[in-house]
Amino acid sequence: MTPAEIAALESKMDDIRPLLAEADDLYRTVATVLAPVILIGPQSVAQHVYDMQAAYESDDDDALGKAEVAFRDSVRKVLGSFR
Protein backbone atom coordinates (compact mmCIF):
# COMPACT_ATOMS: atom_id res chain seq x y z
CA MET A 1 0.00 0.00 0.00
CA THR A 2 1.13 3.50 -0.69
CA PRO A 3 1.49 6.07 2.08
CA ALA A 4 -1.53 7.90 0.68
CA GLU A 5 -3.66 4.73 0.82
CA ILE A 6 -2.54 4.06 4.37
CA ALA A 7 -3.38 7.64 5.38
CA ALA A 8 -6.83 7.30 3.78
CA LEU A 9 -7.50 4.09 5.71
CA GLU A 10 -6.34 5.65 8.96
CA SER A 11 -8.65 8.57 8.33
CA LYS A 12 -11.57 6.21 7.82
CA MET A 13 -10.68 4.38 11.02
CA ASP A 14 -10.79 7.71 12.87
CA ASP A 15 -14.35 8.11 11.58
CA ILE A 16 -15.31 4.56 12.57
CA ARG A 17 -13.91 4.51 16.13
CA PRO A 18 -16.61 6.81 17.58
CA LEU A 19 -19.30 4.66 15.97
CA LEU A 20 -17.83 1.54 17.55
CA ALA A 21 -17.73 3.24 20.93
CA GLU A 22 -21.35 4.31 20.51
CA ALA A 23 -22.37 0.77 19.60
CA ASP A 24 -20.55 -0.57 22.66
CA ASP A 25 -22.34 1.94 24.89
CA LEU A 26 -25.68 0.95 23.41
CA TYR A 27 -24.92 -2.73 23.93
CA ARG A 28 -24.03 -2.12 27.59
CA THR A 29 -27.21 -0.11 28.13
CA VAL A 30 -29.41 -2.77 26.58
CA ALA A 31 -27.63 -5.53 28.50
CA THR A 32 -28.09 -3.64 31.77
CA VAL A 33 -31.76 -2.96 31.16
CA LEU A 34 -32.57 -6.49 30.02
CA ALA A 35 -30.45 -8.33 32.63
CA PRO A 36 -33.38 -8.71 35.05
CA VAL A 37 -35.48 -10.26 32.28
CA ILE A 38 -32.74 -12.75 31.56
CA LEU A 39 -32.20 -13.58 35.23
CA ILE A 40 -35.81 -13.68 36.40
CA GLY A 41 -37.29 -15.15 33.27
CA PRO A 42 -39.34 -16.80 32.15
CA GLN A 43 -36.98 -18.60 29.81
CA SER A 44 -39.24 -17.98 26.80
CA VAL A 45 -38.86 -14.22 27.25
CA ALA A 46 -35.13 -14.49 27.90
CA GLN A 47 -34.71 -16.48 24.68
CA HIS A 48 -36.27 -13.65 22.73
CA VAL A 49 -33.72 -11.28 24.28
CA TYR A 50 -30.95 -13.57 23.01
CA ASP A 51 -32.62 -13.73 19.59
CA MET A 52 -32.77 -9.93 19.40
CA GLN A 53 -29.11 -9.64 20.35
CA ALA A 54 -28.05 -12.23 17.78
CA ALA A 55 -30.03 -10.49 15.05
CA TYR A 56 -28.58 -7.12 16.03
CA GLU A 57 -25.03 -8.46 16.02
CA SER A 58 -25.53 -10.09 12.63
CA ASP A 59 -26.97 -6.84 11.26
CA ASP A 60 -30.06 -8.72 10.06
CA ASP A 61 -32.85 -6.14 10.11
CA ASP A 62 -35.52 -8.65 9.13
CA ALA A 63 -34.56 -11.08 11.89
CA LEU A 64 -34.28 -8.21 14.36
CA GLY A 65 -37.77 -7.00 13.56
CA LYS A 66 -39.18 -10.51 13.99
CA ALA A 67 -37.27 -11.00 17.24
CA GLU A 68 -38.53 -7.69 18.61
CA VAL A 69 -42.13 -8.61 17.82
CA ALA A 70 -41.69 -12.05 19.40
CA PHE A 71 -40.13 -10.46 22.50
CA ARG A 72 -42.92 -7.93 22.83
CA ASP A 73 -45.61 -10.57 22.35
CA SER A 74 -44.05 -12.92 24.89
CA VAL A 75 -43.72 -10.13 27.48
CA ARG A 76 -47.35 -9.16 26.94
CA LYS A 77 -48.40 -12.78 27.37
CA VAL A 78 -46.46 -13.11 30.62
CA LEU A 79 -47.71 -9.79 31.97
CA GLY A 80 -51.26 -10.68 30.96
CA SER A 81 -51.05 -13.86 33.00
CA PHE A 82 -50.82 -11.74 36.16
CA ARG A 83 -54.27 -10.20 35.67
Side-chain angles (χ1 to χ4, degrees), residues 24-56:
D24 287 343
D25 288 343
L26 177 61
Y27 176 81
R28 278 190 292 276
T29 299
V30 169
T32 299
V33 170
L34 292 177
V37 172
I38 294 168
L39 293 173
I40 295 170
Q43 181 57 35
S44 61
V45 175
Q47 184 58 53
H48 293 302
V49 171
Y50 300 136
D51 294 343
M52 285 190 304
Q53 186 61 38
Y56 174 76

Side-chain angles (χ1 to χ4, degrees), residues 45 48 67-79:
V45 175
H48 293 302
E68 288 171 345
V69 168
F71 171 75
R72 184 194 66 224
D73 291 349
S74 67
V75 168
R76 285 181 176 163
K77 181 178 179 183
V78 169
L79 292 176

